[in-house]
């Protein structure tokens, strides 16, 4: 039988891996070659939906997790605003918050 602690480490690893991948995607210089055919807004939504899901799975600290992911979403858009090759966008921030909200509202109200 798998202990809760082991599962927590697994989900933490998955979350950190996804956080690294998303940080690279958010802050690296975009290349015109790579396109997966999804809207930028959908990618923001899905990325923060997955980050929120794995963050919730990795620990039992609901409030701290919520504050962390909200700050990460906000700061990432703020940083993009100051990068020459990126554009910080309030609509992107809205879709970040929407992805976060889906997971946290589901966790808060349905469990």
């Amino acid at each position: 039988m798998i202990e809760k602690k082991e599962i927590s480490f697994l989900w933490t690893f998955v979350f950190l891996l996804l956080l690294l991948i998303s940080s690279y995607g958010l802050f690296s210089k975009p290349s015109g070659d790579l396109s997966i055919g999804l809207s930028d807004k959908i990618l923001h939504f899905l990325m923060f939906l997955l980050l929120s899901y794995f963050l919730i799975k990795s620990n039992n600290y609901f409030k701290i997790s919520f504050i962390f992911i909200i700050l990460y979403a906000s700061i990432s858009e703020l940083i993009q605003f100051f990068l020459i090759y990126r554009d910080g966008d309030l609509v992107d921030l809205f879709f970040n918050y929407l992805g976060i909200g889906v997971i946290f509202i589901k966790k808060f109200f349905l469990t």
Side-chain angles (χ1 to χ4, degrees), residues 49 52 56 62 66 97-111:
L49 180 96
S52 299
I56 289 292
F62 184 80
F66 182 72
Y97 289 160
L98 191 61
I100 293 166
V102 166
I103 296 300
F104 278 87
I105 289 171
K106 179 191 173 294
K107 174 74 174 170
F108 186 75
F109 288 114
L110 299 178
T111 56

Side-chain angles (χ1 to χ4, degrees), residues 18-109:
L18 188 59
L19 185 68
L20 285 173
I21 293 168
S22 66
S23 294
Y24 177 77
L26 286 171
F27 305 126
S28 65
K29 189 172 184 176
S31 64
D33 304 348
L34 199 57
S35 177
I36 58 174
L38 289 175
S39 165
D40 175 50
K41 310 310 178 214
I42 299 298
L43 290 175
H44 277 264
F45 172 78
L46 291 174
M47 180 176 58
F48 280 92
L49 180 96
L50 290 172
L51 281 171
S52 299
Y53 175 77
F54 289 117
L55 181 60
I56 289 292
K57 294 287 282 183
S58 71
N59 68 73
N60 293 324
Y61 302 107
F62 184 80
K63 290 180 184 177
I64 293 171
S65 296
F66 182 72
I67 291 168
F68 172 80
I69 200 72
I70 289 291
L71 285 174
Y72 178 70
S74 303
I75 291 170
S76 68
E77 286 302 320
L78 184 64
I79 290 171
Q80 287 183 38
F81 180 76
F82 291 106
L83 292 175
I84 300 169
Y85 48 84
R86 290 283 184 182
D87 294 323
D89 188 4
L90 289 177
V91 177
D92 285 347
L93 185 60
F94 170 76
F95 279 93
N96 294 352
Y97 289 160
L98 191 61
I100 293 166
V102 166
I103 296 300
F104 278 87
I105 289 171
K106 179 191 173 294
K107 174 74 174 170
F108 186 75
F109 288 114

